[in-house]
Amino acid sequence: MSTARTDLEALTAALRAAIGADRVISDRQQLRTYECDGLAQYKVVPALVALPADAAQCAAVVRACVAADTPFVARGSGTGLSGGALPHADGVLIVTSQMREILEIAPSDERAVVQPGVINLAVTRAAAPHGWYYAPDPSSQQICSIGGNVAENSGGAHCLKYGFTTNHVIGVELVAPDGDRVRLGGRAPDAPGYDLLGAFVGSEGTLGIATEVIVRLTRLPESVRTLLAAFSSTDQAGAATSAIIAAGVVPAAVEMMDALAISAAEEAVHCGYPAGAGAVLIVELDGPEPEVAAQFDQVVRLCRDNRAFEIRIAADDAERALFWKGRKSAFAAVGRISPDYIVQDGVIPRTALPAVLRRIGELSAEHGIRVANVFHAGDGNLHPLVLFDAGVDGQTERAEEVSGAILDLCVSHGGSITGEHGVGMDKAKYMPRMFTDDDLDTMQLLRCAFDPAGLANPGKVFPTPRLCGEIPGRRKGVHPAQEAGLAEAF
């Protein structure tokens, strides 16, 4: 029997003793359930899966991994779109989906305390009877978990006005990479000292695993009004978006879909968007009734000034939900018109929307690869859906080329390679397009401070992992991780 096999059996026995045999999965077929997250183009079957029921069990799993010098990866609902929860073939996948208790709803403190497996929308459902809600709203909010949202610093349609997850998390309990349980932040805002909580939110599981999260609740608005504006082109819709923000109006959300995305949504959910639209904007305002009424009239005028050929105003919650149904279903809907697709997540200044969207159209034509655009127009967070058929020779490669060119385009316009999906496995190779070697070394010094053994979600975020204790600076020769076949330099 090989040493590796013996070590795995010993770790399996240790985990079963720590959290119970029914919470450890070792059967190969069952393990395949966890081979990827929402980005299915990357697949790795983990050596083991652990399903802790609480923070103590999660810490016990991490300590067992540390004792066995075995890497571990945290996973929530598995809806991530960057390969951030991709398992390690020789590691343990720690799934927090069974830690799903809402521990406290405290409207008087504008707070809720939840375990990491709690579904995003469940927080709002629990808070709504008290007149409050949880503002971050990823499109997958019906199934994504708070722990995953914290790991990726998730956004959503309403982040234009309300900000990302980091703006709504005031405290966490986490299991550090050495197995210790640590608290960052707390119930009171603005804790003194270094902002370690800010570093943790969005760290993609490389600095530890959240086991309890204190989130900020937001008062339900007095008034909500939503419109759907149809334009002949994305240029016109982009110009309308810039005009709205320039006028001093900050809507709760401004979302755009192009003709191909509209077609997919119609086929999937029959949302009834205006026929012949080259682009639609969904604009939502919320707040005090007098303010919303005045700003809404202004938004309608600005859309008309920018040549909207049809404007629909939601008469009630049912019609408002129908407007949003097409947008929220867009990612899944493209499966109706393409067997395979890549979801991208770049960011640009919103004033660059017309030029960038035109160039994406040119890239699509040059490579013979369709691209559907659906995105948070208000803050320039693009989600191009690059469509292809993996069964056709050369299409996968062309789609990946277009996908990479779109990220280069975002960076060249002063933007970013990711807005809310994270870097994960998928975008690690693009990090040097945005950051210098010194930048990346500095980031990895922080990672090494939390995780000197390099066991927490290895191989993610950075293109070539530095060795903790390695002297920062430009390297000469082959990196030891490359030589061992554990990493690739781009």
Side-chain angles (χ1 to χ4, degrees), residues 75-77 79 96 116-118 144-154 165 210:
R75 173 189 168 114
S77 294
T79 57
T96 61
V118 170
C144 66
S145 67
I146 294 296
N149 292 171
V150 169
E152 301 295 337
N153 190 23
S154 301
T165 297

Side-chain angles (χ1 to χ4, degrees), residues 136-423:
D137 61 336
S139 293
S140 58
Q141 68 179 143
Q142 297 187 54
I143 50 174
C144 66
S145 67
I146 294 296
N149 292 171
V150 169
E152 301 295 337
N153 190 23
S154 301
H158 292 80
C159 63
L160 171 62
K161 180 175 181 178
Y162 292 102
F164 288 73
T165 297
T166 190
N167 304 111
H168 299 269
V169 173
I170 63 167
V172 297
E173 181 195 67
L174 63 96
V175 175
D178 62 359
D180 285 348
R181 291 170 65 179
V182 178
R183 285 195 175 272
L184 301 177
R187 292 175 178 269
D190 301 323
Y194 292 118
D195 185 15
L196 298 179
L197 178 62
F200 181 78
V201 177
S203 62
E204 303 191 31
T206 62
L207 305 185
I209 303 171
T211 53
E212 181 182 296
V213 185
I214 305 173
V215 299
R216 190 189 314 276
L217 297 178
T218 301
R219 190 54 124 161
L220 286 167
E222 177 186 359
S223 176
V224 179
R225 298 195 69 185
T226 310
L227 68 79
L228 178 78
F231 299 84
S232 297
S233 70
T234 55
D235 276 16
Q236 294 170 356
T241 300
S242 293
I244 290 167
I245 305 298
V249 178
V250 182
V254 182
E255 299 290 295
M256 189 190 299
M257 298 170 66
D258 70 4
L260 190 53
I262 293 167
S263 173
E266 288 292 349
E267 193 167 328
V269 298
H270 312 293
C271 45
Y273 290 168
V280 296
L281 283 184
I282 299 172
V283 184
E284 187 161 282
L285 298 172
D286 66 12
E289 173 60 40
E291 176 185 292
V292 169
Q295 291 188 342
F296 197 80
D297 290 342
Q298 193 175 6
V299 168
V300 170
R301 177 180 58 78
L302 291 167
C303 286
R304 287 184 174 140
D305 288 349
N306 284 278
R307 301 167 66 184
F309 66 80
E310 183 175 343
I311 296 177
R312 297 179 184 175
I313 298 172
D316 51 33
D317 285 345
E319 191 169 7
R320 174 173 170 253
L322 188 60
F323 286 178
W324 279 109
K325 188 176 183 180
R327 168 60 186 91
K328 294 278 188 177
S329 68
F331 286 6
V334 295
R336 297 292 189 101
I337 62 172
S338 177
D340 303 286
Y341 61 94
I342 298 170
V343 181
Q344 265 308 352
D345 171 46
V347 184
I348 57 171
R350 60 178 156 263
T351 51
L353 278 172
V356 169
L357 291 175
R358 278 196 299 272
R359 180 56 188 150
I360 290 174
E362 292 168 359
L363 289 168
S364 172
E366 290 166 7
H367 291 80
I369 294 291
R370 294 180 299 165
V371 179
N373 289 290
V374 50
F375 54 93
H376 311 310
D379 54 6
N381 187 186
L382 305 181
H383 293 311
L385 301 161
V386 183
L387 313 183
F388 66 101
D389 184 347
V392 177
D393 285 347
Q395 277 208 12
T396 300
E397 293 74 17
R398 295 205 308 276
E400 290 175 348
E401 190 173 337
V402 170
S403 180
I406 290 172
L407 294 183
D408 286 339
L409 185 62
C410 292
V411 173
S412 71
H413 279 80
S416 168
I417 61 172
T418 182
E420 57 184 350
H421 293 175
V423 177

Side-chain angles (χ1 to χ4, degrees), residues 20-41:
D22 60 334
R23 295 190 173 275
V24 180
I25 298 173
S26 59
D27 178 76
R28 178 76 178 180
Q29 291 306 310
Q30 290 180 304
L31 291 171
R32 287 182 62 86
T33 303
Y34 301 94
E35 66 184 0
C36 66
D37 59 10
L39 189 67
Q41 67 196 79

Side-chain angles (χ1 to χ4, degrees), residues 417-447:
I417 61 172
T418 182
E420 57 184 350
H421 293 175
V423 177
M425 175 68 73
D426 188 46
K427 294 183 181 177
K429 64 185 177 183
Y430 295 106
M431 288 287 276
R433 312 274 180 95
M434 281 192 68
F435 301 105
T436 67
D437 288 345
D438 288 341
D439 292 335
L440 295 172
D441 270 334
T442 301
M443 292 181 204
Q444 295 207 67
L445 286 172
L446 174 65
R447 181 174 185 169

